[in-house]
Amino acid sequence: EAAVTQSPRSKVAVTGGKVTLSCHQTNNHDYMYWYRQDTGHGLRLIHYSYVADSTEKGDIPDGYKASRPSQENFSLILELASLSQTAVYFCASSSGRSDYTFGSGTRLLVI
Amino acid sequence: TQTVSQSDAHVTVFEGDSVELRCNYSYGGSIYLSWYIQHHGRGLQFLLKYYSGNPVVQGVNGFKAEFSKSDSSFHLRKASVHWSDSAVYFCAVSPSSNMGYKLTFGTGTSLLVDP
């Protein structure tokens, strides 16, 4: 079954540390996205990609980097984690002009 | 820039009741409109979408939504809810001409169905 798998499911990180969130899709989709979810804000787009080896900034890219080494994999990198980056992060894939398939989310707590 | 507004943060109904979850958007061009459902602690799941044609769109589990250009709305409805419909519902829009097909989400409506 086609799916989007995120790892880890949850993580506790120290302020100033580096965090990498991983996403793997088996949908054969070209587009992949990283969103963060905060209470009262819905989901906000951080970075996205429509082809391997290329990433684009979303609406709130500051403090985040992204990497798309292959069609299947898309990572979100927090070089210097901050308290304000505590949130739930969702990865999604899409073939374009279609519904998104979301992963189950990564719950990140920065202390 | 497109925006999405979901005016009701919380809606509570009894099992068997009908429900309408409201969504209004603003954007000057052609767009895709969709609804997603998020059960507690889970990722979002696609419910239905609209781009053109019949303004009433049927989705899974008895959900349907109606597009209105004059009202800039895309409200979600269900005739008879079940307790398992309790979840957070997100309306989303994407410009049809946008490279990347990026979705902009509303803040969500939490639906609680009392058994």
Side-chain angles (χ1 to χ4, degrees), chain B residues 18-36:
Chain B
S18 63
V19 70
E20 177 181 88
L21 305 182
R22 303 175 64 80
C23 173
N24 291 89
Y25 68 91
S26 65
Y27 185 70
S30 298
I31 57 172
Y32 290 93
L33 292 154
S34 51
W35 278 95
Y36 287 78

Side-chain angles (χ1 to χ4, degrees), chain B residues 69-88:
Chain B
K69 187 174 183 178
S70 61
D71 293 339
S72 297
S73 68
F74 189 55
H75 303 325
L76 182 69
R77 301 184 177 99
K78 186 169 183 177
S80 178
V81 295
H82 187 262
W83 64 266
S84 60
D85 293 324
S86 296
V88 181

Side-chain angles (χ1 to χ4, degrees), chain A:
Chain A
E1 181 179 322
V4 175
T5 305
Q6 293 183 232
S7 62
R9 289 297 305 272
S10 65
K11 183 174 181 63
V12 179
V14 177
T15 303
K18 182 177 180 179
V19 177
T20 299
L21 308 182
S22 299
C23 179
H24 178 80
Q25 57 114 346
T26 58
N27 301 325
N28 199 31
H29 286 165
D30 289 328
Y31 298 88
M32 296 188 74
Y33 310 84
W34 277 105
Y35 285 85
R36 67 175 278 172
Q37 183 176 35
D38 302 274
T39 304
H41 286 280
L43 280 79
R44 292 180 290 174
L45 181 64
I46 306 170
H47 285 288
Y48 68 102
S49 168
Y50 52 86
V51 68
D53 295 322
S54 178
T55 63
E56 305 292 333
K57 293 181 179 179
D59 299 322
I60 54 165
D62 294 344
Y64 302 93
K65 292 183 179 180
S67 173
R68 181 96 181 267
S70 64
Q71 186 193 39
E72 298 79 18
N73 295 292
F74 191 38
S75 298
L76 185 69
I77 303 146
L78 291 66
E79 294 279 3
L80 295 169
S82 67
L83 297 175
S84 65
Q85 293 176 312
T86 291
V88 180
Y89 292 84
F90 287 99
C91 177
S93 73
S94 167
S95 62
R97 298 191 178 187
S98 74
D99 49 293
Y100 281 23
T101 301
F102 280 86
S104 299
T106 295
R107 190 172 298 272
L108 176 65
L109 173 63
V110 182
I111 59 174

